[in-house]
Amino acid sequence: MKRLGMVFLAVWLLLMGLSALVNLSFPAYQVVMGLLAVAAGVLLLVGERKLLPVQNWGLFLLGIYLTLLGIIQVFGIRFANSSSLLALLALAAGILILIQR
């Protein structure tokens, strides 16, 4: 499951990069990107055999980040400071992934 989550994450990252570089866009782009993010996030979370105690905090936070980001994109759900929360989750996940490598 974790491996499949990494594949979805890779596809999501490639599409994000292409959309920024060449202005890639297609109908339902936000929905597709949101669903990819949710799929990657959930698979990364489920892929860890033991959720508690957490073995890899970086991937755990990355899974939460992707899941929340996808839900926000697909359903348009916003809450107070959602952008700040996502930014902090992304920073924490990135730092922890780098430290654990």
Side-chain angles (χ1 to χ4, degrees):
M1 291 260 191
K2 184 175 164 185
R3 184 179 199 100
L4 185 57
M6 294 301 266
V7 170
F8 279 121
L9 174 60
V11 171
W12 182 79
L13 288 168
L14 287 169
L15 288 174
M16 287 294 289
L18 284 173
S19 72
L21 289 174
V22 296
N23 209 11
L24 174 71
S25 184
F26 50 87
Y29 173 80
Q30 292 291 354
V31 173
V32 170
M33 294 303 289
L35 292 175
L36 274 173
V38 169
V42 169
L43 288 171
L44 286 174
L45 288 171
V46 172
E48 292 295 318
R49 301 266 186 254
K50 301 176 199 169
L51 284 179
L52 294 174
V54 175
Q55 302 294 318
N56 188 335
W57 280 100
L59 285 182
F60 181 75
L61 292 178
L62 177 61
I64 292 171
Y65 166 80
L66 289 167
T67 304
L68 283 176
L69 179 69
I71 289 170
I72 288 170
Q73 283 183 328
V74 171
F75 298 110
I77 298 171
R78 299 272 183 226
F79 51 90
N81 300 319
S82 60
S83 297
S84 297
L85 174 65
L86 287 173
L88 289 173
L89 277 171
L91 283 170
I95 290 168
L96 289 171
I97 289 171
L98 287 173
I99 288 173
Q100 290 176 343
R101 293 284 165 191

